[in-house]
């Protein structure tokens, strides 16, 4: 493995309800711990029912995202994928709308996010309360 490539995983407890978890601090801590300066940070959730989003949080946008997903992907028994709780099939469609990854520029050791942007784990799967997220830096 190249010394310019570093990777780690973090465990994220999301609980038994739909949630949006801010990972920005975890990402920044990882970059700091490896002395990252310039490059790319990839954030990847290796689960079939979760995604990574880069949006504003704290002003209601995170709840708006969950509401929009509920409108687009209702938690009903209409889904062909039918195991787990009612409507779990929608959770398997989520990554088509909220990708399971994001690649972000790192400049001067920090993620080059916009003023109000945060890196978020989006998890609508109430059947799986624990997630793993892989952070990989290429510099």
């Amino acid at each position: 493995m190249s010394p310019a490539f570093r990777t780690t995983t973090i465990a994220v407890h999301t609980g038994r309800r739909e949630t949006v978890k801010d990972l920005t601090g975890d990402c920044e801590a990882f970059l700091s711990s490896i002395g990252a300066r310039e490059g790319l940070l990839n954030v990847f959730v290796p689960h079939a029912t979760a995604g990574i989003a880069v949006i504003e949080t704290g002003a209601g946008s995170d709840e708006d995202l969950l509401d929009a997903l509920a409108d687009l992907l209702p938690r009903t028994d209409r889904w062909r994928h039918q195991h787990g709780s009612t409507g779990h099939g929608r959770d398997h469609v989520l990554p088509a709308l909220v990708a399971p990854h994001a690649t972000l520029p790192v400049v001067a050791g920090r993620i080059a996010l916009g003023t109000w942007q945060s890196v978020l784990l989006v998890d609508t799967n109430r059947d799986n309360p624990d997630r793993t997220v892989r952070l990989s830096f290429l510099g």
Side-chain angles (χ1 to χ4, degrees):
M1 196 172 334
S2 165
F5 178 80
R6 298 280 171 67
T7 189
T8 193
T9 59
I10 58 173
V12 181
H13 181 73
T14 56
R16 297 255 179 221
R17 61 184 197 95
E18 297 180 19
T19 191
V20 173
K21 287 279 203 177
D22 192 339
L23 302 177
T24 309
D26 297 294
C27 293
E28 294 284 358
F30 168 64
L31 294 172
S32 177
S33 74
I34 63 170
R37 299 302 308 147
E38 314 289 327
L40 296 172
L41 174 67
N42 182 264
V43 183
F44 175 68
V45 57
H47 296 278
T49 58
I52 301 294
V54 179
I55 65 169
E56 176 182 11
T57 59
S61 297
D62 37 355
E63 291 298 323
D64 288 341
L65 174 59
L66 291 176
D67 288 347
L69 291 171
D71 288 345
L72 290 169
L73 305 171
R75 187 168 291 285
T76 65
D77 61 0
R78 67 175 264 197
W79 305 97
R80 289 180 189 92
H81 187 105
Q82 298 230 352
H83 72 85
S85 61
T86 300
H88 176 65
R90 76 181 287 257
D91 301 325
H92 287 274
V93 177
L94 172 76
L97 301 175
V98 180
H101 60 87
T103 301
L104 307 162
V106 175
V107 178
R110 307 247 0 217
I111 307 168
L113 293 170
T115 302
W116 303 111
Q117 289 179 318
S118 296
V119 181
L120 309 172
L121 171 64
V122 180
D123 187 0
T124 60
N125 183 355
R126 300 180 302 189
D127 297 338
N128 187 352
D130 297 296
R131 299 301 184 154
T132 299
V133 177
R134 177 165 296 281
L135 307 176
S136 300
F137 176 75
L138 180 62

